[in-house]
Amino acid sequence: MKRPIISPSVLDADFLHFENEVQKIKDAGLEWIHFDVMDGTFVNNISFGNLFLKSVCPKIDLFKDVHVMIANPLEMVEKFKEAGADCLTFHYEACQNDQEIFDVIDKIHDFNMKAGIAIKPSVSIEKIYPFLSKVDLVLVMSVEPGYGGQHFVESSLDRIAKVKNEIVSNGYNVLVSVDGGINDTIAPKCLNNGADVLVVGQYLFNHSDFKDRVERLLK
Ligand code: DX5
Ligand code: ZN
């Protein structure tokens, strides 16, 4: 069985000592880093943007898993390529129609990034099925996007299993990533339901035992 990917969300990391936070990720043997970009419009919070990523990404030899919670993602694809994103995941709900979603996916691929599509817990998981043949990753939000430290929405487990089944039964090559409220109790449930990637924020950061916590997630 493939080793699950842990993608640490740095939303609640210690930005005064960001280099140390990145080193903790590497010392734990992890290869991904999750950046939560929030614009204050698509979600009622503002985090950091493409210019912050542009300043740090070139110095971080990890897979840059960028999750944009922004309106009008189509307009920002090139800027996140310039910023150093390896995978750019946008929200289904940020687009006006299916054609726009296909256009965003195509543009992300045109700029040689992996394309991810994210979906909120309140939106029917079947809404993203038409795009599974095109994307590289599906981000099943297990919290309402906008903040770290929220509680895992239990119905996400069924959504993970459903989208995984749709991917496998159609022979698509798509990673299932789960994002929000994940800890050492919830992690195995997500993996048992088919998750390939776990995005984890507050369970990992602002504690003294980062590496031990990673191991507990993967036990
Ligand atoms: C929420 C973000 C998540 C969140 C994960 O909008 O997309 O990545 O920061 O953090 P925790 O694990 O603390 O829920
Ligand atoms: Zn995220």
Side-chain angles (χ1 to χ4, degrees):
M1 177 159 151
K2 269 195 327 183
R3 178 178 161 87
I5 296 166
I6 302 290
S7 189
S9 160
V10 297
L11 185 65
D12 291 300
D14 174 357
F15 282 96
L16 192 59
H17 305 95
F18 193 65
E19 189 172 2
N20 298 348
E21 301 286 70
V22 173
Q23 193 56 47
K24 283 181 197 169
I25 296 172
K26 293 167 72 172
D27 291 348
L30 301 180
E31 296 177 350
W32 287 35
I33 182 169
H34 185 88
F35 289 104
D36 286 306
V37 176
M38 300 178 186
D39 66 358
T41 300
F42 180 73
V43 291
N44 66 344
N45 205 1
I46 296 176
S47 58
F48 37 73
N50 53 297
L51 294 182
F52 168 74
L53 266 65
K54 195 170 185 177
S55 73
V56 299
C57 285
K59 301 158 192 153
I60 297 175
D61 56 345
L62 294 166
F63 184 81
K64 272 69 87 180
D65 171 29
V66 179
H67 174 198
V68 289
M69 288 155 273
I70 64 173
N72 307 316
L74 187 62
E75 296 168 15
M76 294 300 290
V77 171
E78 185 169 6
K79 286 206 167 29
F80 281 101
K81 173 62 178 180
E82 288 166 3
D86 292 306
C87 181
L88 187 61
T89 298
F90 66 101
H91 268 262
Y92 165 84
E93 305 87 358
C95 296
Q96 303 310 310
N97 52 55
D98 285 7
Q99 187 53 55
E100 186 183 345
I101 292 172
F102 284 117
D103 292 344
V104 179
I105 295 166
D106 288 345
K107 192 165 187 180
I108 292 171
H109 284 150
D110 289 346
F111 280 101
N112 294 316
M113 293 179 283
K114 297 293 185 188
I117 188 164
I119 187 165
K120 293 182 180 181
S122 57
V123 178
S124 163
I125 195 73
E126 287 81 4
K127 294 285 188 186
I128 56 164
Y129 286 10
F131 315 105
L132 294 178
S133 62
K134 294 278 189 183
V135 296
D136 305 287
L137 179 143
V138 169
L139 188 63
V140 179
M141 291 305 297
S142 38
V143 296
E144 188 64 21
Y147 296 87
Q150 300 178 76
H151 288 293
F152 182 87
V153 175
E154 280 299 321
S155 58
S156 306
L157 293 172
D158 183 46
R159 292 159 63 83
I160 296 164
K162 274 183 176 173
V163 72
K164 184 66 170 212
N165 179 58
E166 185 69 13
I167 290 164
V168 172
S169 55
N170 286 282
Y172 298 140
N173 182 19
V174 182
L175 291 174
V176 176
S177 182
V178 187
D179 187 2
I182 296 177
N183 57 33
D184 55 341
T185 306
I186 289 164
K189 294 178 184 175
C190 293
L191 298 173
N192 291 339
N193 279 273
D196 303 295
V197 184
L198 302 179
V199 177
V200 186
Q202 289 198 8
Y203 176 74
L204 288 175
F205 288 103
N206 303 311
H207 303 283
S208 59
D209 55 348
F210 188 99
K211 192 170 182 182
D212 291 345
R213 283 172 174 259
V214 168
E215 284 157 16
R216 287 204 292 271
L217 287 170
L218 295 173
K219 69 180 185 308

